[in-house]
Amino acid sequence: MRGHAFLVGTYHEGSSPVHRAPLWLKFLLVCLTGAAAFVLVDWVVSAALVFALLLLHLLAQLPASHLRRTAAALAPMALILGGWQWWQLGLPAAARIVLNIAACVLAAGLMTATTPVQQLLDGLVRASGPLRRFGADPERFGLTMALMLRSIPFVLGAFADSRAAARARGLERSPRARLLPVVIGTVAYARQTGEALAARGLGDADADADEEASAGEGAG
Amino acid sequence: MSRIEFDGAGVDVLDGAGAPREILSGVSLTLTEQRIAVVGANGSGKSTLLRLLNGLVLPTRGAVRVDGLDTRTAGAKVRRIVGFGFTDPLSQLVMPTPREDVELSLRRVHRDRKERRRTAQALLANFGLERLADQSIYELSGGERQLLALVTLLAVEPRVLVLDEPSTLLDLRNRELLRRVLSGLAQQVVFSTHDLELALDAERVLVVDDGGIVFDGAPHEAVDRYRTLAGARDPGAP
């Protein structure tokens, strides 16, 4: 099941201007695109935004397969949401909503495809540094966020696997056959990931904390 | 070599009715050899025994210590000196590419990203994985994944490596590769296996059956003992 996890959100090595752009700039692009989705009211402007993001994908020299996979992942939701909005609000509004969502996905995809996970992790750790004074552990925060990003493609893959397995058994109309394996698989994946991190000592509190903990136990 | 002590270590789990069930009875032994194999049938308690070594499982009774550090009270310190590898390497690779996964391990030892990158590159090159550094981990072969999983463990220079059935998912060629790599490691290695040839490479072999250690000694005698035990359990045996 995890084999699907590489289909979306993988970093593509390169030396394009987009790859070399600082992380804060890419993050700003994602935030501005997200904000624009609430502000833009004209589908022509939304289409222009999507076009601009596609140009950035070209500039980043990402393989065509990257866009194809993004489009394939987006298509079912765009069809359902677009159809519903067309019926409720008319074609221009439906087009605007779908294009705004596509813009957000393209911006986020551009950032993850041109930034190594480790760089994202470093950025998050740096950004959450000020929270240390409130007792937060930036390293753990960064690791948690990286794992969350990493889990999204897994869950998408689990849905695809479950759908295929249900179809193979002639159970494509059974919600239970399509959803239950996703829930079970996702929980198992979370446990497995947690165990792997524990085994590698990642996310462990500082080793010195062991002594404090055992001293505390003794005192208690 | 490190000194690994099991001091009456036993593990219970709760069964379906909530009652405790013993899956490992009080084990008392000291391991100081460089290569130690653990053999036994599926469900015999091998994995539980190994997981006790870096605190993935804590003993219900007794204690486990590595170089004097108790896994219960100094778990994080123990995990810094004991690396643990799973049967399926995908279980322990959490980043999308080999380079990123090795760099993740190195976060504990190098704060500087460039330094991490350089070290990861050198480690991958040492094990012939340099050309695969930026490929998806899902595009690697079974042998390459197992090798990569080892590299992620070795990156933090553990004193002890614990490997749970490292050769089970490998074909013959990759098993041979793993054997060569393991034999060249300076670390103390404790591994469980169904591959009796691999077990024969060890200096000491423990035979585990039904949650207890039924033999502890030289490899050839241990393998004979395991074969006898497996034969006695085979319902088709004469």
Side-chain angles (χ1 to χ4, degrees), chain A residues 117-126 138-140 142-143 146 200 202, chain B residues 80 95 100-113 116 155-156:
Chain A
V117 176
Q118 292 300 319
Q119 198 182 335
L120 279 174
L121 215 62
D122 286 332
L124 280 166
V125 170
R126 262 200 316 275
E139 273 290 333
R140 277 192 186 191
L143 185 60
R200 289 168 70 175
L202 295 165
Chain B
R80 290 192 176 205
M95 287 290 150
E100 288 171 309
D101 211 281
V102 177
E103 285 184 26
L104 179 70
S105 286
L106 290 167
R107 290 186 79 85
R108 257 172 36 188
V109 281
H110 295 299
R111 287 274 168 205
D112 180 54
R113 183 155 53 90
R116 282 203 302 265
V156 291

Side-chain angles (χ1 to χ4, degrees), chain B:
Chain B
M1 289 301 115
S2 287
R3 184 180 176 85
I4 301 167
E5 295 168 278
F6 288 81
D7 184 4
V11 178
D12 292 349
V13 292
L14 297 180
D15 65 15
R21 182 172 62 86
E22 188 177 64
I23 56 167
L24 194 70
S25 54
V27 174
S28 292
L29 50 88
T30 303
L31 306 173
T32 52
E33 295 76 6
Q34 194 180 7
R35 296 284 178 269
I36 299 144
V38 180
V39 297
N42 291 332
S44 58
K46 298 189 301 295
S47 293
T48 306
L49 184 75
L50 294 190
R51 282 165 185 246
L52 282 168
L53 282 173
N54 85 336
L56 266 182
V57 169
L58 293 173
T60 315
R61 294 171 298 287
V64 178
R65 286 181 290 272
V66 181
D67 287 339
L69 296 169
D70 193 307
T71 58
R72 182 183 299 284
T73 54
K77 278 187 177 173
V78 170
R79 280 186 282 277
R80 290 192 176 205
I81 57 172
V82 181
F84 190 98
F86 295 87
T87 306
D88 180 359
L90 278 181
S91 298
Q92 73 188 76
L93 301 174
V94 289
M95 287 290 150
T97 64
R99 188 198 306 279
E100 288 171 309
D101 211 281
V102 177
E103 285 184 26
L104 179 70
S105 286
L106 290 167
R107 290 186 79 85
R108 257 172 36 188
V109 281
H110 295 299
R111 287 274 168 205
D112 180 54
R113 183 155 53 90
K114 284 180 183 159
E115 179 65 29
R116 282 203 302 265
R117 203 169 176 82
R118 266 196 303 274
T119 311
Q121 189 73 18
L123 276 162
L124 289 167
N126 272 351
F127 286 85
L129 295 171
E130 196 179 14
R131 69 196 161 83
L132 305 170
D134 295 307
Q135 274 194 24
S136 163
I137 54 169
Y138 298 100
E139 292 168 352
L140 307 184
S141 71
E144 288 162 347
R145 280 181 198 160
Q146 194 60 269
L147 209 51
L148 172 62
L150 263 180
V151 174
T152 64
L153 298 178
L154 294 170
V156 291
E157 299 177 7
R159 286 183 227 161
V160 183
L161 267 183
V162 181
L163 305 174
D164 191 3
E165 296 184 25
S167 63
T168 296
L169 300 178
L170 302 182
D171 61 20
L172 190 59
R173 188 173 60 90
N174 282 313
R175 276 186 201 193
E176 289 305 315
L177 173 69
L178 181 77
R179 276 180 78 180
R180 276 202 307 277
V181 171
L182 288 184
S183 66
L185 293 177
Q187 276 83 0
Q188 186 174 19
V189 184
V190 186
F191 61 94
S192 64
T193 185
H194 292 296
D195 178 352
L196 298 183
E197 275 185 57
L198 187 62
L200 289 174
D201 288 344
E203 293 155 46
R204 179 175 174 182
V205 179
L206 311 176
V207 183
V208 182
D209 187 51
D210 204 17
I213 292 176
V214 294
F215 184 86
D216 173 5
H220 280 98
E221 289 170 54
V223 166
D224 286 346
R225 178 66 183 265
Y226 176 47
R227 283 205 170 105
T228 309
L229 205 64
R233 291 273 166 90
D234 180 3

Side-chain angles (χ1 to χ4, degrees), chain A residues 74-183:
Chain A
L74 199 61
M77 189 182 65
L79 279 174
I80 295 168
L81 198 66
W84 171 259
Q85 297 296 343
W86 189 356
W87 179 43
Q88 292 290 312
L89 302 169
L91 187 57
R96 174 175 52 84
I97 290 166
V98 169
L99 286 167
N100 283 348
I101 292 172
C104 291
V105 173
L106 283 172
L110 190 67
M111 184 172 82
T112 52
T114 59
T115 315
V117 176
Q118 292 300 319
Q119 198 182 335
L120 279 174
L121 215 62
D122 286 332
L124 280 166
V125 170
R126 262 200 316 275
S128 55
L131 298 175
R132 205 187 289 271
R133 74 183 67 169
F134 302 111
D137 182 343
E139 273 290 333
R140 277 192 186 191
F141 178 66
L143 185 60
T144 307
M145 292 301 286
L147 290 172
M148 190 186 75
L149 284 174
R150 184 86 183 84
S151 304
I152 294 168
F154 172 82
V155 177
L156 290 177
F159 270 109
D161 275 350
S162 177
R163 201 167 49 234
R167 194 179 299 143
R169 297 173 62 189
L171 297 170
E172 59 265 49
R173 289 179 185 278
S174 163
R176 186 191 288 182
R178 293 176 64 154
L179 289 178
L180 208 57
V182 176
V183 174

